[in-house]
Amino acid sequence: DAGVTQSPTHLIKTRGQQVTLRCSPKSGHDTVSWYQQALGQGPQFIFQYYEEEERQRGNFPDRFSGHQFPNYSSELNVNALLLGDSALYLCASSRGPTGTGGREQYFGPGTRLTVT
Amino acid sequence: GESVGLHLPTLSVQEGDNSIINCAYSNSASDYFIWYKQESGKGPQFIIDIRSNMDKRQGQRVTVLLNKTVKHLSLQIAATQPGDSAVYFCAENDGYSTLTFGKGTMLLVSP
């Protein structure tokens, strides 16, 4: 049974560039959430996708956008990268959105983004 | 210890000791709680969860205690092993919003 997978593992970008991160949920899961984790901090919620729509969003600017595909996989896009966007980006999947009982979330290994 | 800036509270124990990691949550409407373990360079790993209609739940070598009166959660690890060394996060959910994570506690286990 495959767990949550993310790609790439590491990424280095320059300020102002754009980046796309990818996530495949755990088998049987249909909901994907994205989190940003700065060094020494807990994960901060970015947004959640269910049925190919953004269902919830945290306190992140519009530079952060996403997409969910019919096979439940998801992408996180960040435009106009800032130095402060350097972090570990985590994808978590669940069976159903967190607002309706799908609250046991399983995390992927993350993508380490460094912005120089 | 106190959490100051980027410094995580740290709990240092000897192998074989029991460890207790504490967490204070903020939302009185939260009714679901999860403990995660995060090793260096990896994503958080689910350890155990508890719903608000319970005050104790046991897993393999781990026990979670919930005190809703003071909004406090604890994770007890029995016979702590070097492989338990990691950062531990508690997360809360009120059934409407997404998971909210606490600051984390670093557990260091000495052989």
Side-chain angles (χ1 to χ4, degrees), chain A residues 11-57:
Chain A
L11 203 52
I12 300 174
K13 290 286 189 178
T14 305
R15 274 181 300 176
Q17 287 189 315
Q18 178 264 343
V19 69
T20 298
L21 310 181
R22 296 176 176 81
C23 171
S24 291
K26 180 179 168 66
S27 178
H29 287 185
D30 57 9
T31 302
V32 172
S33 300
W34 286 93
Y35 293 81
Q36 181 194 66
Q37 186 176 26
L39 196 63
Q41 303 290 316
Q44 298 293 311
F45 174 70
I46 303 175
F47 42 54
Q48 183 176 84
Y49 276 84
Y50 172 68
E51 293 185 336
E52 302 179 48
E53 290 187 7
E54 183 183 294
R55 298 289 176 162
Q56 294 186 57
R57 189 178 183 93

Side-chain angles (χ1 to χ4, degrees), chain A residues 33 35 37-45 48 56 88 90 92 98-110 112, chain B residues 5-8 31-32 34 36 38 41-46 49 51 89 93-104:
Chain A
S33 300
Y35 293 81
Q37 186 176 26
L39 196 63
Q41 303 290 316
Q44 298 293 311
F45 174 70
Q48 183 176 84
Q56 294 186 57
L88 180 68
L90 295 162
T98 51
T100 61
R103 299 187 275 181
E104 187 175 319
Q105 295 190 4
Y106 290 85
F107 283 81
R112 173 70 62 185
Chain B
L6 297 179
H7 298 288
L8 290 171
D31 64 351
Y32 179 65
I34 307 177
Y36 286 94
Q38 188 172 25
K42 298 183 179 180
Q45 176 187 357
F46 178 94
D49 61 0
R51 298 192 183 274
F89 291 98
N93 177 251
D94 61 8
Y96 297 96
S97 60
T98 190
L99 288 177
T100 301
F101 283 78
K103 293 185 187 299

